[in-house]
Amino acid sequence: MPAIPATSVANLRDLGGLPLGGGRSVRSGLVLRSAQLDRLEPEEPAVAGLKLRTVVDLRTAAERADRPDRLPQDARLLVADVLADHLAASGLPPAARLKTLLTDPALAERHLGGGRIREAMRRTYRAFVTSDSARASYRALLTELGTPGAGPLLFHCTAGKDRTGWAATVVLALLGADEAVVREEYLGVNPAVRQAFAPMIEGFVTQGGDPELALAMIGVLPDYLDAGLEEVADRHGSMEAYVRDGLGVPDELTELIRERLTVYAA
């Protein structure tokens, strides 16, 4: 799924067009994902053409205060803080510290080396499924997607990869995408994220930093997604049951989401 070529917002993509099986695909122009919108230029043609009506911000209060969203005119903002219950216990550095760690390989190794970053990320993805704040946030997103007039809707976090990636995974799985499509979409952020951080990664490695550690910090890895999917399977048995019982989204709303977001090939 190629990124939309906007210069004022990173990692902007439309889920539309992704295959769902049975001759169906995701309807274009209704559900989009991106990184933070602090530099968004609403008049940029690539942005203005989206005609966004709703923005769902998955970031923490500190992230929002540091880099508040800029919204298109008439777009409505919904705050859904996924990590409110989890960040302090996650073992992850605040987003603002990530750039600091990428400039200091010794500090990064001390805090996140030896597999600690990957284990912290796996814990975080499991918390996407279990924590009260995450469940409330993803329930709010799905409720918006099932609300007539809410779209086109864009959801985002800071880099648009983890909290946003899990949201896209839930939406696609709920619509009927198979595992290969879900995984390809999830991992598809890596080129954009690596490009955005390329100078910092190069500097990190030049100073003796482990490139695998850098990529584990700034990108997404299959085992991060695996942790979330395993948590869903262990606790609920299926994505539909997770959405219904874990998130509290009734089946009637799920059907509305499917009706709004799917289209059959001509």
Side-chain angles (χ1 to χ4, degrees):
M1 183 176 61
I4 295 171
T7 59
S8 65
V9 56
N11 211 2
L12 175 61
R13 295 187 291 160
D14 186 350
L15 298 185
L18 289 173
L20 300 172
R24 299 175 305 126
S25 62
V26 182
R27 192 182 300 273
S28 295
L30 281 185
V31 56
L32 301 102
R33 57 176 291 181
S34 75
Q36 60 196 14
L37 305 182
D38 60 308
R39 296 186 297 171
L40 183 75
E41 293 293 345
E43 301 306 316
E44 182 183 358
V47 174
L50 300 176
K51 302 185 186 304
L52 294 174
R53 297 284 301 277
T54 306
V55 171
V56 180
D57 188 344
L58 305 174
R59 297 177 299 165
T60 64
E63 289 170 306
R64 298 193 307 271
D66 184 50
R67 295 186 179 275
D69 275 352
R70 300 181 64 182
L71 299 180
Q73 187 175 5
D74 300 326
R76 184 170 64 94
L77 177 65
L78 175 67
V79 171
D81 185 345
V82 171
L83 292 177
D85 295 341
H86 175 71
L87 189 59
S90 69
L92 292 171
R97 283 195 62 210
L98 190 58
K99 290 184 178 180
T100 301
L101 291 172
L102 281 172
T103 63
D104 190 335
L107 186 65
E109 185 65 34
R110 186 158 64 248
H111 285 281
L112 299 174
R116 287 190 292 275
I117 179 62
R118 296 180 71 150
E119 183 50 42
M121 292 303 301
R122 287 192 289 265
R123 285 196 302 270
T124 297
Y125 275 71
R126 289 191 286 268
F128 289 165
V129 179
T130 61
S131 79
D132 289 343
S133 61
R135 290 166 54 234
S137 296
Y138 292 121
R139 177 171 64 246
L141 171 62
L142 292 178
T143 299
E144 287 296 312
L145 286 174
T147 301
L153 178 150
L154 179 145
F155 56 89
H156 76 91
C157 52
T158 295
K161 64 185 185 74
D162 297 305
R163 288 162 287 185
T164 297
W166 181 250
T169 291
V170 173
V171 171
L172 289 173
L174 199 62
L175 294 179
D178 64 26
E179 183 176 343
V181 169
V182 169
R183 287 185 178 277
E184 183 177 3
E185 195 283 330
Y186 170 77
L187 294 170
V189 302
N190 276 329
V193 172
R194 290 172 182 174
Q195 181 179 16
F197 282 90
M200 301 194 77
I201 295 172
E202 183 178 355
F204 184 84
V205 174
T206 299
Q207 295 178 70
D210 179 358
E212 293 300 319
L213 176 56
L215 294 178
M217 285 194 286
I218 61 93
V220 294
L221 299 177
D223 57 309
Y224 299 169
L225 182 60
D226 289 342
L229 294 175
E230 288 164 7
E231 196 70 32
V232 166
D234 291 345
R235 288 181 177 266
H236 302 288
S238 69
M239 187 64 76
E240 284 201 5
Y242 157 65
V243 169
R244 181 182 61 248
D245 303 327
L247 301 185
V249 175
D251 291 339
E252 295 83 0
L253 182 57
T254 295
E255 286 307 311
L256 285 174
I257 293 170
R258 288 173 176 151
E259 289 174 13
R260 289 192 67 234
L261 298 185
T262 60
V263 63
Y264 283 89

